[in-house]
Amino acid sequence: DAGVTQSPTHLIKTRGQHVTLRCSPISGHKSVSWYQQVLGQGPQFIFQYYEKEERGRGNFPDRFSARQFPNYSSELNVNALLLGDSALYLCASSLIGDEQYFGPGTRLTVT
Amino acid sequence: AQSVSQHNHHVILSEAASLELGCNYSYGGTVNLFWYVQYPGQHLQLLLKYFSGDPLVKGIKGFEAEFIKSKFSFNLRKPSVQWSDTAEYFCAVSGGSQGNLIFGKGTKLSVKP
């Protein structure tokens, strides 16, 4: 079975630009979560979606937004990029209330 | 505030040495506890999890962890490490019906052959 997939793998953007990251969950998983991992730190929770509804939001500014589609895939959008947004963005999928399975991540570099 | 603390930033061991990585959490209410591992160049993988029941949990590759509620701890152990255990290890907690994970900063384990 395919695991969680994310695209793109790497991305370089300029300050002030917008970025969209994509995630496809494991088949049958209806919950998708997004995390930001800065170098040297553990992943930090950004959003969780279940059945296309937002179930949780971490301590991130409104520049960060996400959505989940009817096929349970998800997008994370970040507007007005800052240098500090450079990080590995991880997507995880799960059956609700169960362990989360992580994708390989998207490495975002903001210059 | 909810938080997870991992005591060791970098641990260096020789093969066959025993391993114990500390993890303490601060979280009100029922908790679910996890250890994830990230091998070089790979994505996060679940080592083991605790939801309820026996506080001694066995995971993959010979790892185990013990939940001690009175100490708010969930330490990871392995009796004899191998070079292939070189990786970064993350302790995480989630609460009750909430799905979001709160991670510690991670412990980098280097095993010398």
Side-chain angles (χ1 to χ4, degrees), chain A residues 27-74:
Chain A
S27 177
H29 287 187
K30 298 181 179 181
S31 178
V32 170
S33 299
W34 287 94
Y35 294 82
Q36 181 195 66
Q37 186 176 16
V38 174
L39 200 62
Q41 302 289 322
Q44 188 172 359
F45 172 70
I46 310 175
F47 286 109
Q48 185 188 35
Y49 276 78
Y50 176 69
E51 289 280 16
K52 296 167 285 180
E53 297 289 327
E54 183 183 302
R55 282 204 64 182
R57 170 186 283 256
N59 189 23
F60 279 81
D62 291 343
R63 299 184 296 108
F64 288 75
S65 64
R67 55 180 176 166
Q68 188 176 32
F69 299 98
N71 66 353
Y72 305 110
S73 67
S74 178

Side-chain angles (χ1 to χ4, degrees), chain A residues 33 35 37 40-45 48 55-56 88 90 96-105, chain B residues 9 32 34 36 38 43-46 49 51 88 90 96-106:
Chain A
S33 299
Y35 294 82
Q37 186 176 16
Q41 302 289 322
Q44 188 172 359
F45 172 70
Q48 185 188 35
R55 282 204 64 182
L88 180 68
L90 298 169
I96 196 67
D98 205 351
E99 67 192 72
Q100 296 187 21
Y101 294 81
F102 284 82
Chain B
H9 178 64
N32 301 320
F34 307 82
Y36 281 86
Q38 192 166 30
H43 54 270
L44 279 168
Q45 302 172 39
L46 183 69
K49 62 183 179 182
F51 281 10
E88 190 153 20
F90 293 93
S97 61
Q98 290 190 359
N100 59 289
L101 292 168
I102 300 167
F103 283 86
K105 291 185 177 181

